[in-house]
Amino acid sequence: MLGDIERDTYKAQLLTVLEAERLASGQQFMSSANRTLLREQAANSATASHRQAFPDDFVYDVVEPGPGDTFEFGINYTACGFCKFAACHGDKEILPNICGLDFVAYATRGIRLERTQTLAGGAHHCNFRFSRLAPDPES
């Protein structure tokens, strides 16, 4: 129930941004230029020097779709800053609510997120898969 209230409140906040701005943000996120940047950042996130300098940061890889996949690109997070922060402060029970906000954040920007596992849920990695949502015919 608390998670539903958090998601609804977060969505209401996100929807205060003009739709054109939200959708432009989503288009930029899905762009090939952003994928290039994400690949560079992912490679850096896994280096020993980055992990030493920023031990509480995210570590991830960009995933390209294979034959039969229905997503445009993905990200596998193998380390999560939110999980590390929550563990440090004894607040792991809030992680499912935080993870649940991802779906709303992307959907309001015209992006479909598929994810079947999370680090917070005990998986080896979070498997984010992104694709564009079809435009709403009533907008």
Side-chain angles (χ1 to χ4, degrees):
M1 183 159 136
L2 181 57
D4 293 335
I5 293 168
E6 288 172 332
R7 271 188 304 281
D8 290 347
T9 302
Y10 185 52
K11 183 177 181 179
Q13 177 190 5
L14 292 171
L15 292 176
T16 64
V17 176
L18 294 173
E19 181 180 37
E21 290 179 38
R22 286 185 284 109
L23 296 178
S25 173
Q27 289 172 352
Q28 190 282 326
F29 179 79
M30 297 297 292
S31 72
S32 60
N34 189 56
R35 275 189 239 179
T36 298
L37 177 62
L38 286 170
R39 277 189 217 92
E40 292 169 6
Q41 290 175 336
N44 185 51
S45 77
T47 64
S49 61
H50 182 87
R51 293 177 87 168
Q52 183 176 21
F54 305 100
D56 296 328
D57 204 356
F58 294 82
V59 178
Y60 61 95
D61 295 308
V62 175
V63 177
E64 298 299 333
D69 285 333
T70 59
F71 62 92
E72 294 181 46
F73 77 97
I75 296 176
N76 285 345
Y77 287 94
T78 56
C80 171
F82 296 124
C83 291
K84 293 174 185 180
F85 183 84
C88 180
H89 295 282
D91 292 327
K92 287 184 175 183
E93 69 278 355
I94 68 168
L95 289 171
N97 293 337
I98 291 171
C99 296
L101 298 176
D102 293 333
F103 294 95
V104 172
Y106 288 106
T108 60
R109 291 173 175 89
I111 301 169
R112 180 172 53 114
L113 168 62
E114 295 179 67
R115 187 179 62 213
T116 60
Q117 61 187 36
T118 62
L119 289 161
H124 177 264
H125 66 277
C126 299
N127 61 342
F128 284 65
R129 301 297 182 263
F130 303 104
S131 55
R132 296 168 217 268
L133 285 171
D136 184 354
E138 295 187 23
S139 346

